[in-house]
Amino acid sequence: MTILETKFVKDFIRMADDGFAQGWHERNGGNLSYRIKPEEVAAIQSRLNAPGDWTLIGASVPGLAGEYFLVTGGGKYFRNIIVDPEVCITIIQIDETGEKYRIRWGLVEGGNPTSELPTHLMNHEVKKRVSNGKHRVIYHAHTTNIIALTFVLPLSDEVFTRELWEMATECPVVFPAGVGVIGWMVPGGREIAIETSKLMEIYDVAIWAHHGMFCSGENFDLTFGLMHTVEKSAEILIKVLSMRSEKRQTISDNDFRKLARDFHLNLSEQFLYKK
Ligand code: 2HA
Ligand code: ZN
């Protein structure tokens, strides 16, 4: 089987294209990464390129030593992933120290992995640990409505979580741990990676003010579905705020407690402060 014929590569490409279709990936905006399973690496081993030079990641991820990732390329357009995947995406291998990577497939016209590689890998390292190896997908998208909300809501985990939960009953079911928010920072480096990975210790969703969102999940469907649900909730909130300044009725603290009881959710009291 060629690398392009494997299920995880096909699923990755479909997810990237679904994200483009949502309008979340203007130009080269956004990036996606997948921690490849050992049996998937074994199945493609004979088709990987001869190992090239190691490159510094710019972050230290010893918890990912020896792992392989499928990631989008820096500067590549999501629009083009489905058109010419071998140009736009790449398989990288992490070294035994977790300090360096090398390219093993893809990017056939040259280039590097995503500019957000430090954040992707630091998030993967945290999520691999806290999910006991279950989480494999990290997704960054420029989701219009969440970005718009970061101009008008206080940049607190409590306010964003609570407002997004209220907008659709499925929200506390889909992201019961809530969402984390960080204020504006320069993207593409170690500092924003450290702040984002701190949020990933607790949440599966991290919002970057005036920029976009990161989501983590076990597989492509769950991670895309999470991004989609949070962004749709933000769209509803923007519609509500645009219609009137005060909500006439909403989902109350006690309603969330009842939902938690019946759906066996652990909804922290931290977010149930309104009464
Ligand atoms: O250009 O989205 O955050 C890719 C990005 C950087
Ligand atoms: Zn971005």
Side-chain angles (χ1 to χ4, degrees), residues 102-147:
R102 62 186 176 188
I103 290 178
R104 299 299 307 274
W105 176 83
L107 289 177
V108 294
E109 291 181 353
N112 302 303
T114 166
S115 60
E116 303 294 359
L117 191 64
T119 297
H120 277 261
L121 293 181
M122 288 191 74
N123 287 352
H124 274 294
E125 189 184 42
V126 167
K127 283 303 187 188
K128 182 182 171 186
R129 173 168 45 78
V130 301
S131 75
N132 293 317
K134 285 205 189 95
H135 278 218
R136 293 193 170 270
V137 181
I138 299 288
Y139 182 30
H140 169 55
H142 294 177
T143 43
T144 316
N145 293 287
I146 280 286
I147 296 169

Side-chain angles (χ1 to χ4, degrees), residues 105-219:
W105 176 83
L107 289 177
V108 294
E109 291 181 353
N112 302 303
T114 166
S115 60
E116 303 294 359
L117 191 64
T119 297
H120 277 261
L121 293 181
M122 288 191 74
N123 287 352
H124 274 294
E125 189 184 42
V126 167
K127 283 303 187 188
K128 182 182 171 186
R129 173 168 45 78
V130 301
S131 75
N132 293 317
K134 285 205 189 95
H135 278 218
R136 293 193 170 270
V137 181
I138 299 288
Y139 182 30
H140 169 55
H142 294 177
T143 43
T144 316
N145 293 287
I146 280 286
I147 296 169
L149 285 175
T150 65
F151 294 90
V152 299
L153 292 185
L155 299 177
S156 84
D157 301 1
E158 288 78 10
V159 171
F160 267 81
T161 298
R162 181 52 191 262
E163 292 298 327
L164 293 169
W165 276 1
E166 279 184 37
M167 290 304 107
T169 304
E170 69 168 339
C171 286
V173 180
V174 175
F175 47 101
V179 303
V181 187
I182 58 178
W184 188 88
M185 290 181 77
V186 175
R190 207 175 100 82
E191 266 151 50
I192 198 165
I194 291 169
E195 292 310 310
T196 311
S197 64
K198 280 186 206 159
L199 295 180
M200 286 290 173
E201 296 274 350
I202 314 164
Y203 309 113
D204 293 339
V205 181
I207 293 167
W208 283 3
H210 324 323
H211 185 144
M213 218 189 320
F214 269 84
C215 288
S216 174
E218 293 181 21
N219 57 42

Side-chain angles (χ1 to χ4, degrees), residues 73-87:
K76 303 299 182 197
Y77 289 24
F78 265 56
R79 176 66 188 97
N80 293 336
I81 291 177
I82 201 162
V83 178
D84 200 346
E86 285 172 296
V87 167

Side-chain angles (χ1 to χ4, degrees), residues 8 33-38 40-42 44-45 48-49 51 54 64-71 90-96 102-105 121 124 128 136:
F8 75 93
S33 63
Y34 171 67
R35 188 165 57 84
I36 307 174
K37 294 177 181 165
E40 291 167 333
V41 176
I44 58 165
Q45 195 61 246
L48 294 175
N49 302 340
W54 294 107
L64 301 177
E67 296 262 17
Y68 287 74
F69 290 87
L70 178 59
V71 303
T90 179
I91 292 174
I92 59 168
Q93 178 187 8
I94 309 298
D95 75 350
E96 290 307 320
R102 62 186 176 188
I103 290 178
R104 299 299 307 274
W105 176 83
L121 293 181
H124 274 294
K128 182 182 171 186
R136 293 193 170 270

